[in-house]
Amino acid sequence: MSVLAERGAVDRAAAGHAVVTLGETMALARATEAGSLRHVGSLALGVGGAESNVAIALRRLGVAAGWAGRVGDDPLGQRVVRELRAEGVDVLATVDPAAATGLMLKERPTAATTAVYYYRAGSAGSRLHPDDMPRGWIEDAALLHVTGITALISPSARDAVHAAIQRARAAGVPVSFDINYRSALAPPPVAAPVLRELAEAADLVFGGEDELELIGGTDADAAATALLAGGVAEVIVKRGAVGATARVGADTVDAPGFRIDPVDTVGAGDAFVAGYLSSRLAGDDPATALHRGNTCGAIACLTPGDWEAAPTLREIERFHRAGGDPVQR
């Protein structure tokens, strides 16, 4: 039996209880053509953020999802709220009149590469506070999902993540943690102990090999073994186009990725997480969950945008009928 079944998350999800998450969602302006921002002629406006990307992707897969965060008292903050609600996400947005909504700019230096620039210092989202999450919001959830990004954007946001995890554990709600390390937010010596503490408090941990090495101080396999020995139930290693591995107890399961021609890889990891979580919440085994996660990550790379290409279950079926080709390992 999986930790999600043991904690009642599968039953609560089936009954319509939401996977909840918290973090910063920013306005996103992306170049509509390949080339540097020095020269491109137009930008498309949207929104993006790791946690809300996961929430949207979960909704596309039929899982109720909620997002909590702060936005500025400005049109960009209103756009964040509108976009998430339009995708069916239950939005708990605190409007902060003292700070602006954060902004990120995305360019495509070439047709196959992406670069992102963040303008989030002192933003409303970085001022997330433990009091922004009312009683019952976490306690009634099927699962709490958090990321290392929020824990590193500010001390108050870090406090909010810790408070959310403590409340989830006290209520018996399982916790999912995506390391999601961003070097622009903190250097490795500062980030490692913060991220390690959060990983050790979670039930499911997602991370790339380099991220597991960061928090473990050794190779990824040894880091995963240490987390499992310390009480983490599942460690899922994201390997991008190559695929992914799940370490669940004493079992190790590998699943290949898919051969695709990527257009925009930003957000693929979030789609993977949503795919894996949605499958596990449906009662599937790790191999099935990895397969769905890899499929969602691959599809998310096929069009521009952080979350726009996150697939529905029907689109996943269409991808496989069209001959989605697994990478041979």
Side-chain angles (χ1 to χ4, degrees), residues 44-107:
L45 184 61
V47 304
E51 297 84 3
S52 57
N53 292 347
V54 170
I56 290 171
L58 284 168
R59 286 297 299 126
R60 297 267 180 95
L61 295 168
V63 179
W67 170 87
R70 285 196 175 209
V71 297
D73 187 12
D74 51 40
L76 295 180
Q78 293 166 7
R79 181 157 187 142
V80 167
V81 172
R82 187 192 72 184
E83 292 277 15
L84 298 188
R85 285 181 174 158
E87 289 294 324
V89 175
D90 181 17
V91 176
L92 186 63
T94 299
V95 178
D96 190 335
T101 302
L103 173 67
M104 52 181 164
L105 300 177
K106 184 191 291 187
E107 68 176 3

Side-chain angles (χ1 to χ4, degrees), residues 12-13 15-20 63-66 90 137-138 140-144 173 281:
R12 289 197 295 271
H17 290 251
V19 173
V20 298
V63 179
D90 181 17
W137 187 76
I138 293 171
D140 294 337
L143 178 141
L144 169 70
V173 175
L281 286 168

Side-chain angles (χ1 to χ4, degrees), residues 117-306:
Y117 306 92
Y118 297 94
Y119 301 85
R120 70 196 317 173
S123 66
S126 71
R127 289 155 60 94
L128 185 70
H129 190 276
D131 293 341
D132 293 337
M133 297 165 288
R135 288 291 160 188
W137 187 76
I138 293 171
E139 289 77 3
D140 294 337
L143 178 141
L144 169 70
H145 176 71
V146 294
T147 81
I149 294 175
T150 304
L152 293 177
I153 58 176
S154 74
S156 69
R158 186 177 311 154
D159 290 343
V161 173
H162 280 289
I165 291 175
Q166 290 168 5
R167 286 171 53 183
R169 298 197 70 84
V173 175
V175 177
S176 164
F177 173 63
D178 189 349
I179 299 171
N180 227 333
Y181 173 55
R182 298 290 183 267
S183 59
L185 294 175
V190 174
V194 173
L195 301 175
R196 184 184 309 116
E197 182 179 8
L198 294 171
E200 291 171 346
D203 297 291
L204 297 90
V205 174
F206 295 86
E209 291 181 308
D210 56 340
E211 292 172 327
L212 288 165
E213 290 170 4
L214 171 68
I215 68 170
T218 180
D219 64 87
D221 187 64
T225 299
L227 288 172
L228 293 166
V232 174
E234 302 184 22
V235 178
I236 302 93
V237 186
K238 298 185 287 186
R239 295 194 169 94
V242 176
T245 298
R247 296 275 305 276
V248 182
D251 298 327
T252 299
V253 181
D254 292 310
F258 293 89
R259 290 189 179 89
I260 59 169
D261 293 321
V263 173
D264 185 350
T265 60
V266 177
D270 302 325
F272 170 87
V273 168
Y276 186 90
L277 290 177
S278 69
S279 187
R280 291 296 269 158
L281 286 168
D284 295 334
D285 60 31
T288 302
L290 286 174
H291 181 69
R292 180 183 288 184
N294 287 334
T295 303
C296 290
I299 295 173
C301 295
L302 297 177
T303 62
D306 280 26

